[in-house]
């Protein structure tokens, strides 16, 4: 419960609430929404073989039995199953898949369709309804009339349930989903009844959750992608219903599209900043393909706090932003001045990443500063975690004084950034300077720890242990050499990591952003910092470089 927060708790249904969610069954859909996101065929094929995999956990069912008829590995596993994110993947498996999908939904409704304290939590119920409706053209048209009516009755019961809970919902993710569901319900099931109220709620959530530069308020690229995907689904539904797409939706889709294009990596997926994963490239392609015009290009996202350098296919994105305000920081990471480094379609330097499929303990662990490619002082987090009493979750606070400035000259780019997250405990500022050559073949960096002159000498006298970490993507193979570390990307290109700091090491790490916990390696530069240094000389100043080997 410490990791799941209030939104992870079972809910209760009073007699009055049960009366509220009873009512008439709709006649059917007037229009069916298009899902836009392509299905995950690999997952669909696995489910057709009765293999249910969520993160590192896997169960195998017999003879097509639903997973909820067996003991599940964890509440997290059960939560992902009850959200039905997998439904479209099963429907995509031809006629047999459609039969299996309808059977699974019918069995779920028979067992949980009236009420269940765990499965009917507002966020879980909202996602389930959304996924049912996106599969509406298949789910609510197949079978006998009595079967279709039972599905519609359960759907309507769910809709009344989440609408009744919406005013008291403190989970911003659930609030977003409910707003989208209410708009879709009005367009598809009510022929526009209640649309003005639903749009008012959605517009309010757009204003609260999308930054002016198009980034999501959580500073997570994948959340921005999913937000844009939802709005594109709704825009399509408006057009199908013969109604004009609201101006605010068009505006936010354009801004979100610019930010998705900003983050898009050479392999087509997104970088795993904060609670973000390597979203499938085909989903990125699908949403960007819905834009009326080419996304605007930019290298600095000031409101989101990211800087980008792109030279000859080599790309670096630096996180120089403060943690989101509450309640939007409940999933944020303490990764100040971490960066993603890519060579064309190959990823080199990343973080431990994140995945909603991964076990909740892992997802909590990778929020720490040590899980990012940045400097860690005395194993402390650059942004200390505090508890949000309203949601029961923790959020990083700060770090104070974080910023980055950009300098360009003769096609070469410098980024100079710093933060004061360690100033309170140790009196030191972390400064990171990055330089990329005009041909993209050289990235040099300097990390330093300095005590501001205005503070005078500090009380601490003993050296403070630190480590600068560079987490390598699992597709990178790393080998220690005499004077450098040799890195080979999945495309076969060779990079050398060099440093003036003695004792560079290769250590084990993990990577979550592809849905499972993968083993990988990290480069670690460790030492002991002088608490009164100005940061200009070792051990408080470390210089390092990534150099691309010329192809023969």
């Amino acid at each position: 419960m410490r990791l799941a927060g209030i939104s992870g708790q079972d809910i209760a249904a009073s007699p009055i609430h049960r009366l509220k969610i009873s009512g008439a069954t709709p006649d059917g859909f007037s229009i069916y929404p298009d899902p836009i996101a392509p299905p995950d065929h690999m997952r669909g094929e696995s489910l057709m073989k009765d293999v249910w995999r969520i993160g590192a956990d896997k169960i195998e069912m017999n003879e097509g039995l639903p997973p909820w008829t067996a003991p599940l590995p964890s509440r997290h596993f059960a939560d992902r199953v009850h959200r039905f994110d997998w439904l479209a993947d099963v429907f995509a498996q031809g006629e047999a898949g459609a039969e299996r999908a309808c059977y699974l939904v019918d069995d779920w409704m028979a067992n949980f369709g009236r009420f269940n304290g765990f499965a009917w939590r507002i966020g879980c119920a909202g996602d389930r309804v959304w996924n049912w409706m996106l599969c509406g053209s298949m789910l609510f048209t197949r079978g006998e009339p009595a079967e279709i009516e039972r599905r519609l009755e359960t759907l309507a019961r769910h809709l009344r349930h989440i609408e009744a809970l919406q005013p008291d919902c403190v989970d911003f993710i659930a609030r977003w989903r409910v707003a989208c569901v209410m708009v879709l319900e009005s367009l598809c099931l009510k022929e526009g009844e209640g649309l003005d109220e639903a749009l008012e709620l959605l517009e309010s959530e757009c204003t609260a959750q999308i930054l002016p530069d198009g980034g999501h308020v959580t500073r997570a690229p994948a959340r921005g992608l999913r937000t844009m995907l939802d709005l594109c689904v709704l825009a399509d539904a408006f057009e199908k219903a013969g109604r004009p797409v609201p101006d605010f939706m068009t505006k936010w889709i354009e801004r979100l599209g610019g930010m998705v294009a900003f983050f898009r990596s050479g392999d087509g997926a997104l970088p795993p900043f904060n609670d973000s994963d390597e979203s499938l490239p085909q989903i990125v392609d699908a949403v960007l393909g819905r834009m009326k015009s080419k996304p605007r290009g930019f290298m600095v996202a000031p409101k989101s706090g990211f800087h980008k350098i792109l030279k000859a296919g080599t790309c670096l994105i630096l996180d120089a932003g403060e943690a989101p305000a509450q309640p939007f920081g409940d999933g944020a990471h303490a990764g100040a001045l971490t960066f993603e480094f890519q060579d064309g379609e190959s990823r080199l330097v990343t973080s431990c990443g994140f995945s909603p499929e991964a076990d909740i303990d892992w997802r909590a662990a990778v929020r720490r500063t040590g899980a990012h490619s940045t400097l860690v002082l005395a194993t402390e987090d650059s942004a200390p975690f505090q508890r949000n009493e309203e949601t029961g979750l923790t959020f990083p606070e700060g770090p104070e004084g974080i910023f980055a400035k950009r300098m360009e000259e003769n096609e070469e780019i410098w980024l100079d950034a710093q933060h004061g997250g360690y100033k309170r405990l140790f009196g030191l500022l972390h400064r990171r300077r990055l330089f990329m050559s005009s041909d993209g073949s050289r990235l040099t960096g300097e990390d330093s720890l300095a005590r501001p002159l205005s503070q005078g000498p500090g009380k601490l006298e003993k050296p403070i242990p630190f480590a600068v970490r560079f987490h390598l993507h699992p597709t990178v193979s790393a080998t220690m050499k005499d004077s450098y570390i040799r890195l080979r990307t999945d495309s076969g290109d060779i990079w050398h990591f060099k440093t003036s700091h003695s004792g560079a090491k290769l250590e084990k790490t993990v990577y979550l952003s592809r849905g499972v916990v993968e083993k990988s390696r990290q480069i670690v530069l460790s030492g002991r910092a002088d608490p009164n240094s100005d940061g200009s000389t070792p051990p408080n100043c470390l210089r390092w470089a990534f150099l691309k080997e010329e192809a023969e």
Side-chain angles (χ1 to χ4, degrees), residues 130-164:
W130 181 257
N131 289 313
W132 284 351
M133 294 185 75
L134 291 189
C135 295
S137 61
M138 298 171 284
L139 180 60
F140 296 100
T141 58
R142 297 179 65 90
E144 298 297 323
E147 293 175 318
I148 295 173
E149 185 175 6
R150 280 195 296 271
R151 294 171 197 159
L152 287 169
E153 190 276 331
T154 306
L155 174 66
R157 187 176 179 85
H158 272 72
L159 289 166
R160 289 188 286 266
H161 169 70
I162 62 177
E163 288 173 21

Side-chain angles (χ1 to χ4, degrees), residues 375 377 428 446-450 462-468 500-502 525-543:
L375 182 145
L377 191 57
L428 294 172
E446 177 185 282
D447 285 288
S448 61
L449 289 164
K462 291 183 179 180
I464 308 166
F466 69 84
V468 178
S500 60
H501 183 72
S502 61
L525 311 179
S526 57
R528 302 183 73 83
D530 178 352
N532 289 298
S533 171
D534 64 0
S536 62
T537 57
N540 286 49
C541 181
L542 295 85
R543 295 183 176 90

Side-chain angles (χ1 to χ4, degrees), residues 24-248:
T25 300
D27 295 330
F29 284 66
S30 57
I31 61 165
Y32 292 104
D34 291 325
I36 296 181
D40 184 340
H41 287 284
M42 289 184 63
R43 180 162 67 172
E45 291 169 3
S46 177
L47 295 177
M48 292 296 290
K49 296 175 183 176
D50 294 322
V51 177
W52 293 77
R53 188 189 303 273
I54 306 290
D57 292 322
K58 180 181 76 171
I59 61 172
E60 296 185 27
M61 302 302 298
N62 294 321
E63 301 176 354
L65 288 174
W68 43 83
T69 61
L72 298 179
S74 65
R75 282 174 65 90
H76 169 66
F77 194 104
D79 175 76
R80 303 306 299 177
V81 167
H82 283 292
R83 289 177 190 264
F84 278 77
D85 292 334
W86 45 267
L87 185 61
D89 306 329
V90 180
F91 266 118
Q93 304 306 304
E95 184 63 25
E99 289 183 7
R100 173 71 65 84
C102 289
Y103 161 71
L104 290 170
V105 172
D106 288 339
D107 189 89
W108 188 95
M109 290 180 174
N111 285 280
F112 305 99
R114 302 303 294 174
F115 185 79
N116 177 272
F118 176 76
W120 282 59
R121 291 166 297 127
I122 184 169
C124 186
D127 279 353
R128 183 166 57 249
V129 168
W130 181 257
N131 289 313
W132 284 351
M133 294 185 75
L134 291 189
C135 295
S137 61
M138 298 171 284
L139 180 60
F140 296 100
T141 58
R142 297 179 65 90
E144 298 297 323
E147 293 175 318
I148 295 173
E149 185 175 6
R150 280 195 296 271
R151 294 171 197 159
L152 287 169
E153 190 276 331
T154 306
L155 174 66
R157 187 176 179 85
H158 272 72
L159 289 166
R160 289 188 286 266
H161 169 70
I162 62 177
E163 288 173 21
L165 295 181
Q166 181 273 326
D168 299 319
C169 180
V170 298
D171 180 353
F172 69 92
I173 301 171
R175 287 205 315 267
W176 173 264
R177 175 57 68 225
V178 172
C180 292
V181 164
M182 289 174 65
V183 173
L184 207 58
E185 175 193 16
S186 176
L187 292 172
C188 299
L189 295 169
K190 292 184 173 181
E191 296 186 347
E193 181 185 343
L195 184 58
D196 289 343
E197 294 83 354
L199 284 175
E200 184 178 350
L201 180 61
L202 179 64
E203 185 172 13
S204 174
E205 292 301 327
C206 283
T207 303
Q209 299 197 31
I210 309 173
L211 297 171
D213 60 12
H216 194 269
V217 70
T218 59
R219 306 185 64 250
R223 288 207 182 278
L225 174 67
R226 290 192 287 271
T227 299
M228 182 179 178
L229 180 64
D230 293 344
L231 291 179
C232 286
V233 168
L234 296 178
D236 272 11
F238 270 94
E239 292 176 355
K240 273 193 166 187
R243 297 173 179 269
V245 179
D247 290 340
F248 79 87

